[in-house]
Amino acid sequence: KDSHVASVSAPRRAAPMSSTDFYVRYYVGHKGKFGHEFLEFEFRPDGRLRYANNSNYKNDTMIRKEAYVNEAVLNELKRIIEESEIAREDDKQWPEPNRDGRQEFEIVLGNTHISFATAKIGSLLDVQESKDPEGLRVFYYLVQDLKCLVFSLIGLHFRIKPI
C-alpha cells in the first residue's frame, strides 16, 4: 500500500470565518490489541482531500492518500451536509467516547463551525437505544454518505487500471 501524505493534521481551532470558508474532518478510531487503528478524512477549502486509514491487523500498514477535487465535488459535499441538517443537532445526549473508540466530526460551512464527538456506532440498534436517537440517526446517515463519497473519490482517483 503506498503512502502519498506525510501526516494527517491534528485538530485545530478555526480562525474567524468568512461566508466562503469550508472545511470537513471526520475521524473514527480506537486503541486496542493492534495499536491505534483509525480512519480519517478531511476536505479543505482549496479542494484538497486527505485520507488516512491505519490498521495493524495482520501487520497491515497505514494507507495515506491525497487528491484534489474540483468545485463541483465541493458543492455536492456542501449540499449533502446542508440537506442532512446536521447543524441543528447537538451531541450532548450522544454516547460519550469510550475505550471502544470515538468518532469526531468537524464542519466549517460559512459562518457555522460545529464539532461533534461520540462513541463508535456499531449499528442502528446503538442509535435507536441512545438518549437522542433522532439526532444520532442524522449523524449516522451523514457519516455513511460521506464515507461512501470519500471511498468512491479515492478509489476512482487511484485506480490502477482505467475503466
Side-chain angles (χ1 to χ4, degrees), residues 85-153:
E85 298 186 336
I86 191 70
R88 294 182 178 190
E89 303 303 331
D90 189 329
D91 64 357
K92 287 181 184 160
Q93 296 293 312
W94 296 359
E96 290 288 325
N98 55 38
R99 61 176 238 204
D100 293 331
R102 70 183 293 120
Q103 295 183 84
E104 299 170 1
F105 187 58
E106 180 180 7
I107 308 165
V108 174
L109 188 54
N111 293 319
T112 304
H113 183 187
I114 304 170
S115 294
F116 298 102
T118 189
K120 286 172 73 174
I121 300 171
S123 70
L124 272 175
L125 186 60
D126 294 339
V127 171
Q128 292 164 351
E129 293 177 349
S130 74
K131 293 178 184 172
D132 179 16
E134 290 179 26
L136 201 54
R137 188 176 295 110
V138 169
F139 175 78
Y140 177 82
Y141 283 119
L142 175 59
V143 165
Q144 296 304 314
D145 290 346
L146 295 181
K147 282 166 59 173
C148 285
L149 176 64
V150 168
F151 293 152
S152 295
L153 291 168

Side-chain angles (χ1 to χ4, degrees), residues 57-69:
Y57 180 68
K58 292 188 177 179
N59 296 320
D60 214 349
T61 58
M62 185 173 317
I63 301 167
R64 292 186 187 272
K65 303 284 185 185
E66 184 176 309
Y68 282 85
V69 297

